Amino acid sequence: VMPGGAAAALGPTSLLPGDTIVAVSSPSTSPITVEGADLETILEALGTLAGQQNIVLRVKRLVHRSTINVNVVDGGSLTVIAGQNLRSALLKSGERVHKFEGEDCGGNGICTTCAVQVLEGEDALSPPTAAEKQRAKGREGWRLSCQTRAGAEGGDVTLVLQPGRGTVEE
């Protein structure tokens, strides 16, 4: 769908710029898959539906999701997609998240071995869960990475892994 084109001008519940047609059909026909096809092939598939009162287009729509940039003190940096679990993203990027290798609760918010201290950007993360509040016990900026998700608004976060064992005091 091209910006300013006829399909884009149909209205708010129609196709949007960036949409991709993946199948065409009518209520009385089986879908014809056109995903990845060129315009000529899509038009040919639509032509087979000539005379149908209603034509159904199945589309894929790209959805923009915000990201946060996480900078790990004495570590690397990574980009985390809105809604993504912080512990999972840190582990996937190769960061050593847990104080004790192999001795963690599997991301259930129980053991605190995945604790991080957020130095900047707390507002770019999900609000603390009840488990985090209970286990942080007043430690400033402490979060359990297994219970923390990237927020929907995006932003920048600076944090320390395994707080109290490095450059930042408890």
Side-chain angles (χ1 to χ4, degrees), residues 10 13-15 21-32 34 42-59:
L10 290 175
T13 60
S14 62
L15 298 173
I21 299 172
V22 297
V24 298
S25 65
S26 73
S28 61
T29 64
S30 297
I32 302 168
V34 294
I42 294 171
L43 292 175
E44 285 176 16
L46 287 169
T48 65
L49 301 173
Q52 297 289 328
Q53 191 166 14
N54 294 310
I55 295 176
V56 178
L57 301 178
R58 185 178 307 157
V59 300

PDB file of all heavy atoms in Angstrom, residues 10 13-15 21-32 34 42-59:
ATOM      1  N   LEU A  10      -9.069   4.938   1.524  1.00  0.00           N
ATOM      2  CA  LEU A  10     -10.379   4.326   1.756  1.00  0.00           C
ATOM      3  C   LEU A  10     -10.969   4.593   3.132  1.00  0.00           C
ATOM      4  O   LEU A  10     -12.160   4.493   3.319  1.00  0.00           O
ATOM      5  CB  LEU A  10     -10.310   2.821   1.519  1.00  0.00           C
ATOM      6  CG  LEU A  10     -10.126   2.411   0.061  1.00  0.00           C
ATOM      7  CD1 LEU A  10      -9.959   0.899  -0.028  1.00  0.00           C
ATOM      8  CD2 LEU A  10     -11.293   2.873  -0.789  1.00  0.00           C
ATOM      9  N   THR A  13     -10.460   2.063   8.674  1.00  0.00           N
ATOM     10  CA  THR A  13     -10.494   0.614   8.900  1.00  0.00           C
ATOM     11  C   THR A  13      -9.981  -0.157   7.695  1.00  0.00           C
ATOM     12  O   THR A  13     -10.121  -1.359   7.609  1.00  0.00           O
ATOM     13  CB  THR A  13     -11.929   0.151   9.228  1.00  0.00           C
ATOM     14  OG1 THR A  13     -12.769   0.476   8.128  1.00  0.00           O
ATOM     15  CG2 THR A  13     -12.433   0.791  10.496  1.00  0.00           C
ATOM     16  N   SER A  14      -9.408   0.552   6.722  1.00  0.00           N
ATOM     17  CA  SER A  14      -8.938  -0.103   5.510  1.00  0.00           C
ATOM     18  C   SER A  14      -7.434  -0.332   5.571  1.00  0.00           C
ATOM     19  O   SER A  14      -6.825  -0.307   6.631  1.00  0.00           O
ATOM     20  CB  SER A  14      -9.302   0.758   4.301  1.00  0.00           C
ATOM     21  OG  SER A  14      -8.658   2.010   4.408  1.00  0.00           O
ATOM     22  N   LEU A  15      -6.835  -0.530   4.429  1.00  0.00           N
ATOM     23  CA  LEU A  15      -5.404  -0.737   4.340  1.00  0.00           C
ATOM     24  C   LEU A  15      -4.643   0.535   4.697  1.00  0.00           C
ATOM     25  O   LEU A  15      -5.109   1.642   4.436  1.00  0.00           O
ATOM     26  CB  LEU A  15      -5.035  -1.169   2.923  1.00  0.00           C
ATOM     27  CG  LEU A  15      -5.635  -2.486   2.459  1.00  0.00           C
ATOM     28  CD1 LEU A  15      -5.322  -2.705   0.988  1.00  0.00           C
ATOM     29  CD2 LEU A  15      -5.113  -3.636   3.296  1.00  0.00           C
ATOM     30  N   ILE A  21      -0.502  -7.397   1.511  1.00  0.00           N
ATOM     31  CA  ILE A  21      -1.591  -8.339   1.259  1.00  0.00           C
ATOM     32  C   ILE A  21      -0.997  -9.742   1.228  1.00  0.00           C
ATOM     33  O   ILE A  21      -0.048 -10.006   0.490  1.00  0.00           O
ATOM     34  CB  ILE A  21      -2.317  -8.027  -0.060  1.00  0.00           C
ATOM     35  CG1 ILE A  21      -2.924  -6.612   0.000  1.00  0.00           C
ATOM     36  CG2 ILE A  21      -3.400  -9.067  -0.359  1.00  0.00           C
ATOM     37  CD1 ILE A  21      -3.495  -6.126  -1.319  1.00  0.00           C
ATOM     38  N   VAL A  22      -1.545 -10.650   2.047  1.00  0.00           N
ATOM     39  CA  VAL A  22      -1.021 -12.020   2.104  1.00  0.00           C
ATOM     40  C   VAL A  22      -1.995 -13.044   1.514  1.00  0.00           C
ATOM     41  O   VAL A  22      -1.583 -14.136   1.154  1.00  0.00           O
ATOM     42  CB  VAL A  22      -0.611 -12.423   3.536  1.00  0.00           C
ATOM     43  CG1 VAL A  22       0.527 -11.550   4.028  1.00  0.00           C
ATOM     44  CG2 VAL A  22      -1.776 -12.381   4.499  1.00  0.00           C
ATOM     45  N   ALA A  23      -3.282 -12.697   1.401  1.00  0.00           N
ATOM     46  CA  ALA A  23      -4.259 -13.616   0.801  1.00  0.00           C
ATOM     47  C   ALA A  23      -5.478 -12.818   0.370  1.00  0.00           C
ATOM     48  O   ALA A  23      -5.802 -11.787   0.962  1.00  0.00           O
ATOM     49  CB  ALA A  23      -4.659 -14.700   1.790  1.00  0.00           C
ATOM     50  N   VAL A  24      -6.143 -13.313  -0.669  1.00  0.00           N
ATOM     51  CA  VAL A  24      -7.393 -12.719  -1.141  1.00  0.00           C
ATOM     52  C   VAL A  24      -8.436 -13.826  -1.242  1.00  0.00           C
ATOM     53  O   VAL A  24      -8.106 -14.976  -1.531  1.00  0.00           O
ATOM     54  CB  VAL A  24      -7.217 -11.995  -2.499  1.00  0.00           C
ATOM     55  CG1 VAL A  24      -6.227 -10.850  -2.376  1.00  0.00           C
ATOM     56  CG2 VAL A  24      -6.791 -12.954  -3.598  1.00  0.00           C
ATOM     57  N   SER A  25      -9.691 -13.474  -0.998  1.00  0.00           N
ATOM     58  CA  SER A  25     -10.776 -14.457  -1.102  1.00  0.00           C
ATOM     59  C   SER A  25     -12.103 -13.717  -1.125  1.00  0.00           C
ATOM     60  O   SER A  25     -12.150 -12.490  -1.070  1.00  0.00           O
ATOM     61  CB  SER A  25     -10.736 -15.436   0.076  1.00  0.00           C
ATOM     62  OG  SER A  25     -10.995 -14.755   1.297  1.00  0.00           O
ATOM     63  N   SER A  26     -13.161 -14.487  -1.198  1.00  0.00           N
ATOM     64  CA  SER A  26     -14.516 -13.970  -1.013  1.00  0.00           C
ATOM     65  C   SER A  26     -15.170 -14.900  -0.002  1.00  0.00           C
ATOM     66  O   SER A  26     -14.632 -15.974   0.291  1.00  0.00           O
ATOM     67  CB  SER A  26     -15.284 -13.964  -2.338  1.00  0.00           C
ATOM     68  OG  SER A  26     -15.633 -15.272  -2.703  1.00  0.00           O
ATOM     69  N   PRO A  27     -16.330 -14.533   0.529  1.00  0.00           N
ATOM     70  CA  PRO A  27     -16.989 -15.413   1.485  1.00  0.00           C
ATOM     71  C   PRO A  27     -17.290 -16.811   0.923  1.00  0.00           C
ATOM     72  O   PRO A  27     -17.396 -17.774   1.669  1.00  0.00           O
ATOM     73  CB  PRO A  27     -18.280 -14.667   1.834  1.00  0.00           C
ATOM     74  CG  PRO A  27     -17.935 -13.226   1.614  1.00  0.00           C
ATOM     75  CD  PRO A  27     -17.005 -13.223   0.437  1.00  0.00           C
ATOM     76  N   SER A  28     -17.360 -16.938  -0.407  1.00  0.00           N
ATOM     77  CA  SER A  28     -17.713 -18.237  -0.992  1.00  0.00           C
ATOM     78  C   SER A  28     -16.525 -18.955  -1.655  1.00  0.00           C
ATOM     79  O   SER A  28     -16.705 -19.988  -2.283  1.00  0.00           O
ATOM     80  CB  SER A  28     -18.828 -18.052  -2.025  1.00  0.00           C
ATOM     81  OG  SER A  28     -18.373 -17.207  -3.064  1.00  0.00           O
ATOM     82  N   THR A  29     -15.309 -18.403  -1.523  1.00  0.00           N
ATOM     83  CA  THR A  29     -14.139 -19.038  -2.146  1.00  0.00           C
ATOM     84  C   THR A  29     -13.057 -19.285  -1.105  1.00  0.00           C
ATOM     85  O   THR A  29     -13.023 -18.659  -0.048  1.00  0.00           O
ATOM     86  CB  THR A  29     -13.537 -18.168  -3.270  1.00  0.00           C
ATOM     87  OG1 THR A  29     -13.050 -16.951  -2.701  1.00  0.00           O
ATOM     88  CG2 THR A  29     -14.562 -17.868  -4.351  1.00  0.00           C
ATOM     89  N   SER A  30     -12.161 -20.197  -1.443  1.00  0.00           N
ATOM     90  CA  SER A  30     -11.001 -20.450  -0.581  1.00  0.00           C
ATOM     91  C   SER A  30      -9.989 -19.335  -0.783  1.00  0.00           C
ATOM     92  O   SER A  30      -9.883 -18.775  -1.883  1.00  0.00           O
ATOM     93  CB  SER A  30     -10.343 -21.786  -0.946  1.00  0.00           C
ATOM     94  OG  SER A  30     -11.242 -22.845  -0.707  1.00  0.00           O
ATOM     95  N   PRO A  31      -9.209 -19.020   0.246  1.00  0.00           N
ATOM     96  CA  PRO A  31      -8.191 -17.968   0.112  1.00  0.00           C
ATOM     97  C   PRO A  31      -7.116 -18.338  -0.908  1.00  0.00           C
ATOM     98  O   PRO A  31      -6.721 -19.496  -1.026  1.00  0.00           O
ATOM     99  CB  PRO A  31      -7.579 -17.874   1.510  1.00  0.00           C
ATOM    100  CG  PRO A  31      -8.548 -18.532   2.418  1.00  0.00           C
ATOM    101  CD  PRO A  31      -9.285 -19.551   1.604  1.00  0.00           C
ATOM    102  N   ILE A  32      -6.676 -17.343  -1.648  1.00  0.00           N
ATOM    103  CA  ILE A  32      -5.558 -17.483  -2.570  1.00  0.00           C
ATOM    104  C   ILE A  32      -4.380 -16.771  -1.917  1.00  0.00           C
ATOM    105  O   ILE A  32      -4.427 -15.556  -1.680  1.00  0.00           O
ATOM    106  CB  ILE A  32      -5.868 -16.835  -3.937  1.00  0.00           C
ATOM    107  CG1 ILE A  32      -7.118 -17.466  -4.559  1.00  0.00           C
ATOM    108  CG2 ILE A  32      -4.660 -16.941  -4.870  1.00  0.00           C
ATOM    109  CD1 ILE A  32      -7.659 -16.697  -5.752  1.00  0.00           C
ATOM    110  N   VAL A  34      -1.068 -14.860  -1.566  1.00  0.00           N
ATOM    111  CA  VAL A  34      -0.272 -13.970  -2.417  1.00  0.00           C
ATOM    112  C   VAL A  34       0.878 -13.337  -1.635  1.00  0.00           C
ATOM    113  O   VAL A  34       1.496 -12.391  -2.111  1.00  0.00           O
ATOM    114  CB  VAL A  34      -1.156 -12.876  -3.068  1.00  0.00           C
ATOM    115  CG1 VAL A  34      -2.151 -13.484  -4.052  1.00  0.00           C
ATOM    116  CG2 VAL A  34      -1.873 -12.049  -2.011  1.00  0.00           C
ATOM    117  N   ILE A  42      -0.759 -10.342  -7.544  1.00  0.00           N
ATOM    118  CA  ILE A  42      -1.863  -9.972  -6.649  1.00  0.00           C
ATOM    119  C   ILE A  42      -3.076  -9.532  -7.469  1.00  0.00           C
ATOM    120  O   ILE A  42      -4.216  -9.929  -7.192  1.00  0.00           O
ATOM    121  CB  ILE A  42      -1.429  -8.872  -5.656  1.00  0.00           C
ATOM    122  CG1 ILE A  42      -0.351  -9.420  -4.707  1.00  0.00           C
ATOM    123  CG2 ILE A  42      -2.620  -8.338  -4.867  1.00  0.00           C
ATOM    124  CD1 ILE A  42       0.300  -8.375  -3.834  1.00  0.00           C
ATOM    125  N   LEU A  43      -2.828  -8.748  -8.509  1.00  0.00           N
ATOM    126  CA  LEU A  43      -3.941  -8.293  -9.360  1.00  0.00           C
ATOM    127  C   LEU A  43      -4.591  -9.468 -10.088  1.00  0.00           C
ATOM    128  O   LEU A  43      -5.822  -9.500 -10.249  1.00  0.00           O
ATOM    129  CB  LEU A  43      -3.459  -7.232 -10.351  1.00  0.00           C
ATOM    130  CG  LEU A  43      -3.051  -5.885  -9.718  1.00  0.00           C
ATOM    131  CD1 LEU A  43      -2.472  -4.954 -10.774  1.00  0.00           C
ATOM    132  CD2 LEU A  43      -4.240  -5.242  -9.015  1.00  0.00           C
ATOM    133  N   GLU A  44      -3.809 -10.443 -10.528  1.00  0.00           N
ATOM    134  CA  GLU A  44      -4.371 -11.640 -11.157  1.00  0.00           C
ATOM    135  C   GLU A  44      -5.269 -12.397 -10.178  1.00  0.00           C
ATOM    136  O   GLU A  44      -6.361 -12.855 -10.534  1.00  0.00           O
ATOM    137  CB  GLU A  44      -3.253 -12.559 -11.654  1.00  0.00           C
ATOM    138  CG  GLU A  44      -2.565 -12.081 -12.908  1.00  0.00           C
ATOM    139  CD  GLU A  44      -1.389 -12.970 -13.302  1.00  0.00           C
ATOM    140  OE1 GLU A  44      -1.288 -14.114 -12.801  1.00  0.00           O
ATOM    141  OE2 GLU A  44      -0.569 -12.510 -14.109  1.00  0.00           O
ATOM    142  N   ALA A  45      -4.805 -12.526  -8.923  1.00  0.00           N
ATOM    143  CA  ALA A  45      -5.609 -13.216  -7.904  1.00  0.00           C
ATOM    144  C   ALA A  45      -6.906 -12.461  -7.647  1.00  0.00           C
ATOM    145  O   ALA A  45      -7.980 -13.072  -7.526  1.00  0.00           O
ATOM    146  CB  ALA A  45      -4.800 -13.356  -6.611  1.00  0.00           C
ATOM    147  N   LEU A  46      -6.834 -11.144  -7.604  1.00  0.00           N
ATOM    148  CA  LEU A  46      -8.052 -10.345  -7.420  1.00  0.00           C
ATOM    149  C   LEU A  46      -8.979 -10.488  -8.626  1.00  0.00           C
ATOM    150  O   LEU A  46     -10.203 -10.517  -8.478  1.00  0.00           O
ATOM    151  CB  LEU A  46      -7.694  -8.870  -7.185  1.00  0.00           C
ATOM    152  CG  LEU A  46      -7.099  -8.548  -5.821  1.00  0.00           C
ATOM    153  CD1 LEU A  46      -6.545  -7.130  -5.797  1.00  0.00           C
ATOM    154  CD2 LEU A  46      -8.141  -8.731  -4.725  1.00  0.00           C
ATOM    155  N   GLY A  47      -8.393 -10.613  -9.824  1.00  0.00           N
ATOM    156  CA  GLY A  47      -9.184 -10.784 -11.040  1.00  0.00           C
ATOM    157  C   GLY A  47     -10.020 -12.059 -11.018  1.00  0.00           C
ATOM    158  O   GLY A  47     -11.109 -12.107 -11.601  1.00  0.00           O
ATOM    159  N   THR A  48      -9.523 -13.090 -10.346  1.00  0.00           N
ATOM    160  CA  THR A  48     -10.297 -14.340 -10.264  1.00  0.00           C
ATOM    161  C   THR A  48     -11.556 -14.158  -9.410  1.00  0.00           C
ATOM    162  O   THR A  48     -12.454 -14.998  -9.448  1.00  0.00           O
ATOM    163  CB  THR A  48      -9.458 -15.492  -9.676  1.00  0.00           C
ATOM    164  OG1 THR A  48      -9.133 -15.192  -8.317  1.00  0.00           O
ATOM    165  CG2 THR A  48      -8.200 -15.730 -10.487  1.00  0.00           C
ATOM    166  N   LEU A  49     -11.599 -13.082  -8.671  1.00  0.00           N
ATOM    167  CA  LEU A  49     -12.757 -12.813  -7.810  1.00  0.00           C
ATOM    168  C   LEU A  49     -13.722 -11.805  -8.434  1.00  0.00           C
ATOM    169  O   LEU A  49     -14.641 -11.339  -7.757  1.00  0.00           O
ATOM    170  CB  LEU A  49     -12.275 -12.316  -6.441  1.00  0.00           C
ATOM    171  CG  LEU A  49     -11.359 -13.271  -5.677  1.00  0.00           C
ATOM    172  CD1 LEU A  49     -10.807 -12.601  -4.426  1.00  0.00           C
ATOM    173  CD2 LEU A  49     -12.090 -14.552  -5.322  1.00  0.00           C
ATOM    174  N   ALA A  50     -13.507 -11.458  -9.707  1.00  0.00           N
ATOM    175  CA  ALA A  50     -14.385 -10.500 -10.395  1.00  0.00           C
ATOM    176  C   ALA A  50     -15.824 -10.983 -10.316  1.00  0.00           C
ATOM    177  O   ALA A  50     -16.121 -12.168 -10.473  1.00  0.00           O
ATOM    178  CB  ALA A  50     -13.950 -10.346 -11.852  1.00  0.00           C
ATOM    179  N   GLY A  51     -16.703 -10.077 -10.039  1.00  0.00           N
ATOM    180  CA  GLY A  51     -18.117 -10.406  -9.945  1.00  0.00           C
ATOM    181  C   GLY A  51     -18.561 -10.762  -8.526  1.00  0.00           C
ATOM    182  O   GLY A  51     -19.758 -10.842  -8.265  1.00  0.00           O
ATOM    183  N   GLN A  52     -17.629 -11.000  -7.634  1.00  0.00           N
ATOM    184  CA  GLN A  52     -17.991 -11.279  -6.237  1.00  0.00           C
ATOM    185  C   GLN A  52     -18.437  -9.975  -5.572  1.00  0.00           C
ATOM    186  O   GLN A  52     -17.848  -8.917  -5.799  1.00  0.00           O
ATOM    187  CB  GLN A  52     -16.790 -11.853  -5.471  1.00  0.00           C
ATOM    188  CG  GLN A  52     -16.298 -13.179  -5.987  1.00  0.00           C
ATOM    189  CD  GLN A  52     -17.282 -14.295  -5.661  1.00  0.00           C
ATOM    190  OE1 GLN A  52     -17.966 -14.276  -4.646  1.00  0.00           O
ATOM    191  NE2 GLN A  52     -17.355 -15.265  -6.559  1.00  0.00           N
ATOM    192  N   GLN A  53     -19.464 -10.057  -4.753  1.00  0.00           N
ATOM    193  CA  GLN A  53     -19.973  -8.861  -4.108  1.00  0.00           C
ATOM    194  C   GLN A  53     -19.021  -8.367  -3.015  1.00  0.00           C
ATOM    195  O   GLN A  53     -18.832  -7.178  -2.845  1.00  0.00           O
ATOM    196  CB  GLN A  53     -21.352  -9.125  -3.519  1.00  0.00           C
ATOM    197  CG  GLN A  53     -22.037  -7.861  -3.066  1.00  0.00           C
ATOM    198  CD  GLN A  53     -23.517  -8.086  -2.808  1.00  0.00           C
ATOM    199  OE1 GLN A  53     -23.987  -9.212  -2.719  1.00  0.00           O
ATOM    200  NE2 GLN A  53     -24.254  -7.015  -2.693  1.00  0.00           N
ATOM    201  N   ASN A  54     -18.416  -9.291  -2.282  1.00  0.00           N
ATOM    202  CA  ASN A  54     -17.472  -8.930  -1.218  1.00  0.00           C
ATOM    203  C   ASN A  54     -16.136  -9.631  -1.464  1.00  0.00           C
ATOM    204  O   ASN A  54     -16.106 -10.825  -1.769  1.00  0.00           O
ATOM    205  CB  ASN A  54     -18.002  -9.353   0.157  1.00  0.00           C
ATOM    206  CG  ASN A  54     -19.237  -8.581   0.548  1.00  0.00           C
ATOM    207  OD1 ASN A  54     -19.256  -7.366   0.478  1.00  0.00           O
ATOM    208  ND2 ASN A  54     -20.271  -9.293   0.961  1.00  0.00           N
ATOM    209  N   ILE A  55     -15.064  -8.884  -1.321  1.00  0.00           N
ATOM    210  CA  ILE A  55     -13.720  -9.441  -1.440  1.00  0.00           C
ATOM    211  C   ILE A  55     -13.022  -9.252  -0.102  1.00  0.00           C
ATOM    212  O   ILE A  55     -13.089  -8.177   0.499  1.00  0.00           O
ATOM    213  CB  ILE A  55     -12.924  -8.757  -2.573  1.00  0.00           C
ATOM    214  CG1 ILE A  55     -13.575  -9.072  -3.921  1.00  0.00           C
ATOM    215  CG2 ILE A  55     -11.471  -9.216  -2.571  1.00  0.00           C
ATOM    216  CD1 ILE A  55     -12.924  -8.374  -5.095  1.00  0.00           C
ATOM    217  N   VAL A  56     -12.374 -10.303   0.367  1.00  0.00           N
ATOM    218  CA  VAL A  56     -11.678 -10.270   1.653  1.00  0.00           C
ATOM    219  C   VAL A  56     -10.182 -10.243   1.390  1.00  0.00           C
ATOM    220  O   VAL A  56      -9.665 -11.075   0.645  1.00  0.00           O
ATOM    221  CB  VAL A  56     -12.040 -11.516   2.509  1.00  0.00           C
ATOM    222  CG1 VAL A  56     -11.279 -11.499   3.824  1.00  0.00           C
ATOM    223  CG2 VAL A  56     -13.540 -11.583   2.735  1.00  0.00           C
ATOM    224  N   LEU A  57      -9.514  -9.279   1.975  1.00  0.00           N
ATOM    225  CA  LEU A  57      -8.062  -9.184   1.898  1.00  0.00           C
ATOM    226  C   LEU A  57      -7.485  -9.503   3.273  1.00  0.00           C
ATOM    227  O   LEU A  57      -7.879  -8.890   4.265  1.00  0.00           O
ATOM    228  CB  LEU A  57      -7.612  -7.782   1.483  1.00  0.00           C
ATOM    229  CG  LEU A  57      -8.111  -7.243   0.154  1.00  0.00           C
ATOM    230  CD1 LEU A  57      -7.608  -5.825  -0.052  1.00  0.00           C
ATOM    231  CD2 LEU A  57      -7.675  -8.145  -0.988  1.00  0.00           C
ATOM    232  N   ARG A  58      -6.585 -10.454   3.350  1.00  0.00           N
ATOM    233  CA  ARG A  58      -5.869 -10.727   4.600  1.00  0.00           C
ATOM    234  C   ARG A  58      -4.535  -9.993   4.489  1.00  0.00           C
ATOM    235  O   ARG A  58      -3.816 -10.159   3.512  1.00  0.00           O
ATOM    236  CB  ARG A  58      -5.649 -12.218   4.800  1.00  0.00           C
ATOM    237  CG  ARG A  58      -5.017 -12.516   6.175  1.00  0.00           C
ATOM    238  CD  ARG A  58      -4.823 -13.977   6.427  1.00  0.00           C
ATOM    239  NE  ARG A  58      -6.072 -14.697   6.222  1.00  0.00           N
ATOM    240  CZ  ARG A  58      -6.126 -15.989   5.948  1.00  0.00           C
ATOM    241  NH1 ARG A  58      -5.028 -16.702   5.843  1.00  0.00           N
ATOM    242  NH2 ARG A  58      -7.283 -16.583   5.782  1.00  0.00           N
ATOM    243  N   VAL A  59      -4.229  -9.183   5.501  1.00  0.00           N
ATOM    244  CA  VAL A  59      -3.011  -8.369   5.439  1.00  0.00           C
ATOM    245  C   VAL A  59      -2.137  -8.600   6.666  1.00  0.00           C
ATOM    246  O   VAL A  59      -2.616  -9.051   7.711  1.00  0.00           O
ATOM    247  CB  VAL A  59      -3.332  -6.859   5.332  1.00  0.00           C
ATOM    248  CG1 VAL A  59      -4.140  -6.552   4.092  1.00  0.00           C
ATOM    249  CG2 VAL A  59      -4.040  -6.351   6.568  1.00  0.00           C
TER     250      VAL A  59
END
